DNA sequence: ACCTGAACACCGTTCAAGT
DNA sequence: ACCTGAACACCGTTCAAGT
């Protein structure tokens, strides 16, 4: 069986020259994400993009002015994936929790892409949807105006920072060839253990490693603080 | 007046060949941090290190096996700077807040270095001190064993992720030559504003940009959650 | 865990030339 | 916002040779 669906995204290599308009921003972004997902943090190069798309490496410059710009487009694509199928839930807290877990899992599924993009403001078409979705939940909770934006900033920045750092750790561990769960382990063997009594006393516990459990606790802490700070009207 | 203090860290360039043992891990790490602090996120190269230290670029390989290893050493150096002069305060909450603000300010002062290192577990000599300091405060609050480590993980991971993302945004803004405070501004001009009612209603508020105020709110949310979850004994 | 210089296989970006 | 190939100024890393 031929994979017919693959044809439009992966042009035949044997073709000598690509027709005009074969490449698009969308095709390049999808190829970039595919390349980053292979696991090598530094795999996204113009040469690799050219190979993936059966095009000359420099053809990308017709569509993006730099690698940085391609990465920012990947950032918006990750937001698109993360929001896919999202609908507000009955309670504003459930909505915010759902959005947080979506970001976490999207970043965990695409660690190298997330590592290079989680700190970017894309100002792209999907980012604006995410901002609107979070502000909607914050409004439903009872905040308005500047205070609503402040709550939005605290929440979304928290989620992106925590999910992004986790992705960076995953990507770095993969690059180091390490067991991809082991980066959470902090096993210290100081020369003078008596200088670090608390570290020594918790040597075994510091080997525990459930990133999502920690993330979940951090999200609940923020949601509880928001609930406690709800404006009186609600 | 000659800057005598500079001599040991910056060898004379005219010297043809460096004597054996001139280079040390410490000198290389200090040079690396100086280079990163110049503002260019990608400035840390072996060539640049060689120039900074008056040595051959490849001499670094006698002391570190890769650029990645140098960056991990820079990560530990940032922790050293951050802990400099730290003493536990009377209340465990004040201690944790102090440690959080130290990390934030250190990362803000060295954005490019922080961007490349905030997600690393260094297992180095200063990281173990930081872990011990946080565990000490968590113990004083009343936690022990596995639960103490979980509180430590929630808190330190929160602080590193938030301070690290801020540093990455600062570094990226500097690289883009942008006004270094403007990266916090999210000004959307969607084609169909009616599709994003909450974004449209908060157009002006989304220009507000005080990263530290947001960080402070996030830290207080976590401290409040910890206080609420204190074990009964305390 | 010594320092240097040559060498190798890359990499981002520019630009003149091809369709 | 067309696609290609040559060219330029880098970059990380290896390794034989120098002190």
């Amino acid at each position: 069986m031929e994979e017919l669906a693959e044809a439009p995204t992966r042009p035949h290599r044997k073709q000598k020259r690509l027709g005009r308009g074969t490449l698009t921003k969308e095709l390049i972004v999808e190829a970039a994400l595919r390349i980053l997902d292979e696991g090598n943090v530094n795999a996204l190069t113009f040469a690799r993009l050219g190979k993936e798309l059966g095009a000359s490496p420099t053809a990308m410059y017709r569509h993006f002015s730099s690698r940085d710009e391609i990465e920012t487009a990947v950032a918006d694509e990750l937001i698109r994936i993360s929001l896919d199928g999202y609908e507000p839930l009955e309670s504003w807290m459930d909505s915010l929790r759902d959005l947080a877990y979506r970001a976490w899992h999207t970043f965990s599924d695409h660690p190298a892409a997330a590592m290079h993009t989680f700190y970017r403001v894309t100002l792209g078409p999907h980012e604006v949807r995410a901002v609107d979705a979070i502000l909607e939940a914050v409004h439903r909770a009872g905040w308005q105006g500047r205070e609503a934006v402040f709550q939005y900033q605290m929440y979304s920045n928290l989620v992106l920072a925590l999910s992004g750092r986790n992705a960076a750790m995953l990507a770095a561990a993969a690059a180091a060839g390490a067991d991809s769960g082991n980066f959470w382990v902090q096993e210290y063997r100081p020369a003078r253990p008596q200088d670090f009594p608390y570290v020594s006393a918790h040597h075994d516990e510091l080997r525990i490693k459930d990133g999502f459990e920690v993330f979940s606790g951090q999200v609940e802490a923020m949601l509880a603080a928001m609930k406690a700070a709800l404006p009186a009207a609600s």
Side-chain angles (χ1 to χ4, degrees), chain A residues 18-41:
Chain A
L18 252 44
R20 253 177 206 254
T22 305
L23 293 179
T24 64
K25 271 185 152 66
E26 289 69 31
L27 280 176
I28 294 170
V29 169
E30 284 164 24
L33 186 53
R34 244 181 284 132
I35 292 165
L36 286 166
D37 284 348
E38 280 165 16
N40 183 341
V41 213

Side-chain angles (χ1 to χ4, degrees), chain A residues 23 36 39 44 125 137 141 148 178-179 187 196:
Chain A
L23 293 179
L36 286 166
L44 186 60
D179 175 359
E187 202 161 21
F196 310 104

Side-chain angles (χ1 to χ4, degrees), chain A residues 61-180:
Chain A
Y61 282 95
R62 247 331 110 173
H63 305 272
F64 294 96
S65 69
S66 66
R67 200 186 64 171
D68 194 71
E69 210 178 86
I70 298 177
E71 289 176 349
T72 295
V74 169
D76 214 56
E77 170 69 2
L78 287 186
I79 301 175
R80 186 194 68 71
I81 294 170
S82 162
L83 289 181
D84 187 45
Y86 170 76
E87 294 290 345
L89 297 168
E90 239 187 272
S91 110
W92 65 270
M93 286 180 92
D94 286 343
S95 296
L96 290 182
R97 191 157 27 221
D98 184 19
L99 288 164
Y101 289 8
R102 282 166 175 272
W104 175 272
H105 287 120
T106 303
F107 283 15
S108 296
D109 289 347
H110 307 280
M115 173 178 193
H116 289 295
T117 64
F118 79 100
Y119 56 87
R120 293 168 194 252
V121 176
T122 73
L123 296 182
H126 298 109
E127 187 179 74
V128 66
R129 291 171 52 212
V131 177
D132 208 67
I134 297 169
L135 281 173
E136 183 275 326
V138 166
H139 255 253
R140 200 136 43 84
W143 282 287
Q144 294 195 351
R146 198 228 176 293
E147 191 55 31
V149 169
F150 186 69
Q151 298 295 326
Y152 150 77
Q153 286 172 335
M154 285 214 295
Y155 193 77
S156 63
N157 177 57
L158 178 92
V159 168
L160 291 173
L162 299 177
S163 302
R165 187 169 119 108
N166 179 251
M169 292 175 96
L170 280 170
D179 175 359
S180 70

Side-chain angles (χ1 to χ4, degrees), chain A residues 2 124 148 177:
Chain A
E2 301 218 343

